[in-house]
């Protein structure tokens, strides 16, 4: 148990160190070449990220802009454009068609948790879960989180995994964690 506690403390320290400079300055890390301002909401920050144009366009098509601009708080695991590019050819184009709005909405809300879960809160849940934490998403599905070395990993309901590449991007209505793979619900 002491070994596990020490490992978890090291994981929390790694997360803290990742953004230590940004947090000392009371700012967020840069995402997609843009400053992410704590005073702005999830949508207003995301539209400034060059790495999240596919996500932003999809949120607009799904009609989720007002929801993600609301008070929240929300935790968003935000896939990059490169994450969407990993999907089979034609998937994004098909999902943004009007007849697929329900499926697009389900996939996008699968990336959202009700509440603010920064890396410390996630690490606490991982510790309480004996190395794995389960989260209920806004879509009603489940996501699992664990640590692999210094990396926070997520597993979706289809068994796919994603790595958090930038953690703790604080927003006025929650927190974003940038992820490298689109998470897929059942």
């Amino acid at each position: 148990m002491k070994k596990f506690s020490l490992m978890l403390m090291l994981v929390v320290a790694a997360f803290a160190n990742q953004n230590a400079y940004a947090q000392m300055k009371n700012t967020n890390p840069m995402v997609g070449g843009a400053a992410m301002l704590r005073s702005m909401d999830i949508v207003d920050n995301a539209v400034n990220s060059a790495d999240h144009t596919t996500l932003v366009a999809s949120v607009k098509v799904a009609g989720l802009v007002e929801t993600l601009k609301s008070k929240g708080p929300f935790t968003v695991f935000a896939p990059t454009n490169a994450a969407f590019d990993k999907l089979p050819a034609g998937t994004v184009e098909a999902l943004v068609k009007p007849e697929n709005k329900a499926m697009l909405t389900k996939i996008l809300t699968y990336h959202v948790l009700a509440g603010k879960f920064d890396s410390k809160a996630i690490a606490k849940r991982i510790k309480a879960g004996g190395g794995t934490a389960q989260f209920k998403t806004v879509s009603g599905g489940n996501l699992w989180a664990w640590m692999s070395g210094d990396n926070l990993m997520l597993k979706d309901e289809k068994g796919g995994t994603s790595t958090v590449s930038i953690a703790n991007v604080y927003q006025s209505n929650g927190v974003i964690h940038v992820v490298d793979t689109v998470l897929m619900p059942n």
Side-chain angles (χ1 to χ4, degrees):
M1 185 64 184
K2 284 183 180 181
K3 191 176 189 181
F4 179 75
S5 294
L6 178 60
M7 184 177 81
L8 192 57
M9 286 175 36
L10 290 172
V11 166
V12 170
F15 268 124
N17 189 40
Q18 176 185 6
N19 295 318
Y21 179 76
Q23 298 307 320
M24 286 188 304
K25 299 292 246 178
N26 199 27
T27 61
N28 278 324
M30 299 283 282
V31 176
M36 299 287 111
L37 304 178
R38 290 173 182 245
S39 61
M40 293 172 59
D41 63 52
I42 290 166
V43 173
D44 289 343
N45 269 321
V47 298
N48 293 321
S49 169
D51 292 343
H52 290 90
T53 56
T54 304
L55 177 62
V56 169
S58 298
V59 165
K60 289 177 181 177
V61 169
L64 296 172
V65 171
E66 289 308 311
T67 301
L68 292 175
K69 287 181 74 57
S70 69
K71 185 176 180 179
F74 302 106
T75 299
V76 177
F77 297 105
T80 61
N81 295 337
F84 282 99
D85 290 344
K86 290 181 184 179
L87 295 172
T91 301
V92 174
E93 294 78 8
L95 285 170
V96 297
K97 290 182 178 179
E99 62 268 23
N100 296 323
K101 182 177 179 181
M103 177 55 79
L104 176 63
T105 300
K106 182 177 181 179
I107 291 169
L108 293 174
T109 57
Y110 188 69
H111 289 78
V112 181
L113 306 177
K116 184 177 177 182
F117 294 94
D118 64 9
S119 61
K120 283 185 180 182
I122 294 171
K124 184 176 179 181
R125 295 271 300 262
I126 292 170
K127 181 180 180 183
T132 304
Q134 182 174 332
F135 293 92
K136 182 68 75 175
T137 70
V138 170
S139 73
N142 293 303
L143 281 178
W144 294 267
W146 74 96
M147 296 303 300
S148 177
D150 290 341
N151 294 317
L152 174 60
M153 304 296 296
L154 302 170
K155 183 176 85 170
D156 63 30
E157 291 176 327
K158 294 198 176 214
T161 60
S162 185
T163 302
V164 172
S165 57
I166 302 174
N168 300 331
V169 186
Y170 295 100
Q171 317 290 301
S172 65
N173 62 345
V175 62
I176 290 175
H177 302 289
V178 178
V179 295
D180 70 351
T181 305
V182 176
L183 300 159
M184 299 301 283
N186 278 333

